[in-house]
Amino acid sequence: LPNAVGKTQKRYKEEMSRNAKIESPENVLKLAITTSPDKEYTSLASVSTQHKPFDFLGVLYESAVAGAAAGTLVETVLYPIDTIKTRLQAVRGGGEIIWKGLYSGLAGNLVGVIPASALFIGVYEPAKQKLLKIFPENLSAIAHLAAGALGGAASSIVRVPTEVIKQRIQTGQFVSAPDAVRLIVAKEGFRGLYAGYGSFLLRDLPFDAIQFCIYEQLRIGYKLAAKRDLNDPENAIIGAFAGAITGAMTTPLDVIKTRLMIQGSTKQYNGIRHCINTILKEEGSSAFFRGMGPRVLWIGIGGSIFFGVLEKTKQLTSQKPSFA
């Protein structure tokens, strides 16, 4: 009898131990995932990752690397088209466009483009993810607009001096970036490196906000329609469309920005309003659309490369486990 009781107690303990293991949260999740249909699989996967803390440094690192890679490739490949666009916008009246030296200033420009692109995406991605949690799903466009504007504002600290130096080299005022920096500071002071800062923000904040909003919203719509993630060519095509549309819309703002940045110490224009009035009076409204063709081509192709490389690099740098 004592032996029988002992065996019964032992079996009872083993049974209780087995049930405890099965009913632990981790094993319940594993069991549910292995035995549930696809809907429950997705639901449980999202629940299991829902409460993970926001990895700001991880997102910042991945975004900065992706932004730097995308910006460098776009600038290197499409720099001649950008030079042609700048020279078309700079010409006043019946002046001639110089077609030589289309790669002038590329090396110095990359020194600024790499950190500027890294800073832009490094701010944009974490801001976007945070804002998407704040806004309801039907207002995701506002989150994308705001994140694009924040990224543009943050990166303008680096982008404006880079743009000033680049455009003055492109228009033949200087031979190299070091000479440009030295002479601009000598003649105009440190503020000369930020010439046209207001017009830059006037152009780039709406440009960045609209371009990234169009891109993100098209991706969301495409994913819902296709019921799958996008591949690299699809990301590139959507990026090209978003870039071309936004580039065309913001061409007049780009003309104003170019004129103010390249005028140097001559001070042909005293601010944005004076620039607009002077161009209208002396050259007519058509001058605001100079360089639209090269700009749309440059930003359209650039958008396909930038967003294609951006998504691919983000994917490669991400080390996070995913159920997707």
Side-chain angles (χ1 to χ4, degrees):
L1 184 61
N3 286 339
V5 171
K7 286 179 182 177
T8 305
Q9 286 178 340
K10 188 179 178 182
R11 279 200 302 272
Y12 176 76
K13 286 178 181 177
E14 287 174 354
E15 188 68 28
M16 289 296 288
S17 174
R18 206 163 36 243
N19 289 340
K21 284 181 182 177
I22 291 170
E23 288 171 8
S24 70
E26 295 85 355
N27 288 324
V28 167
L29 181 60
K30 284 178 186 173
L31 187 62
I33 288 173
T34 17
T35 56
S36 300
D38 288 344
K39 274 188 181 179
E40 291 178 13
Y41 175 97
T42 307
S43 173
L44 283 167
S46 63
V47 168
S48 68
T49 55
Q50 217 168 24
H51 301 294
K52 286 180 72 176
F54 181 67
D55 183 9
F56 175 77
L57 291 177
V59 173
L60 179 65
Y61 166 74
E62 292 166 20
S63 305
V65 171
T72 301
L73 187 58
V74 169
E75 201 68 24
T76 303
V77 173
L78 302 176
Y79 194 80
I81 302 175
D82 181 35
T83 301
I84 292 168
K85 183 271 305 179
T86 299
R87 290 175 181 176
L88 282 169
Q89 291 178 345
V91 168
R92 302 181 66 189
E96 292 184 3
I97 301 165
I98 300 169
W99 297 97
K100 293 180 181 179
L102 296 182
Y103 267 102
S104 296
L106 173 62
N109 188 52
L110 289 177
V111 173
V113 164
I114 294 170
S117 300
L119 185 57
F120 179 90
I121 300 298
V123 170
Y124 172 78
E125 279 294 334
K128 177 186 78 173
Q129 293 188 30
K130 280 288 186 184
L131 289 168
L132 285 173
K133 291 179 180 179
I134 295 169
F135 287 99
E137 196 174 336
N138 62 335
L139 295 178
S140 62
I142 297 175
H144 295 136
L145 284 167
L150 285 170
S155 63
S156 67
I157 299 165
V158 181
R159 288 167 77 183
V160 171
T162 303
E163 191 83 355
V164 168
I165 293 163
K166 177 190 77 171
Q167 294 200 322
R168 294 199 191 181
I169 293 173
Q170 287 175 329
T171 51
Q173 295 182 40
F174 303 108
V175 177
S176 66
D179 284 345
V181 173
R182 182 171 53 82
L183 292 170
I184 288 171
V185 172
K187 291 182 179 179
E188 305 167 50
F190 185 76
R191 291 180 62 183
L193 294 173
Y194 284 87
Y197 188 76
S199 62
F200 179 89
L201 293 179
L202 181 65
R203 181 204 71 172
D204 264 48
L205 294 191
F207 175 86
D208 293 331
I210 294 168
Q211 183 187 29
F212 275 79
C213 181
I214 291 173
Y215 172 73
E216 298 281 10
Q217 292 298 307
L218 286 175
R219 286 186 82 237
I220 290 170
Y222 194 101
K223 277 184 179 181
L224 289 172
K227 297 180 181 178
R228 60 172 174 81
D229 283 333
L230 278 65
N231 56 39
D232 295 339
E234 288 166 341
N235 284 322
I237 290 168
I238 291 174
F241 180 79
I245 293 294
T246 316
M249 288 170 60
T250 56
T251 296
L253 299 175
D254 190 51
V255 171
I256 297 164
K257 187 261 323 172
T258 299
R259 293 291 182 92
L260 289 169
M261 280 189 168
I262 67 171
Q263 68 177 338
S265 56
T266 58
K267 294 295 178 187
Q268 297 167 326
Y269 311 108
N270 298 316
I272 295 170
R273 183 178 293 181
H274 182 251
C275 180
I276 294 169
N277 291 335
T278 304
I279 291 172
L280 280 172
K281 185 179 177 180
E282 296 180 359
E283 303 170 63
S285 58
S286 61
F288 289 108
F289 295 93
R290 280 187 186 162
M292 178 182 277
R295 177 170 167 79
V296 169
L297 180 65
W298 167 50
I299 298 177
I301 299 172
S304 70
I305 298 171
F306 184 88
F307 287 109
V309 173
L310 181 71
E311 298 298 338
K312 190 66 179 176
T313 310
K314 277 159 59 178
Q315 182 187 347
L316 292 173
T317 55
S318 175
Q319 300 298 319
K320 297 175 184 176
S322 173
F323 285 103

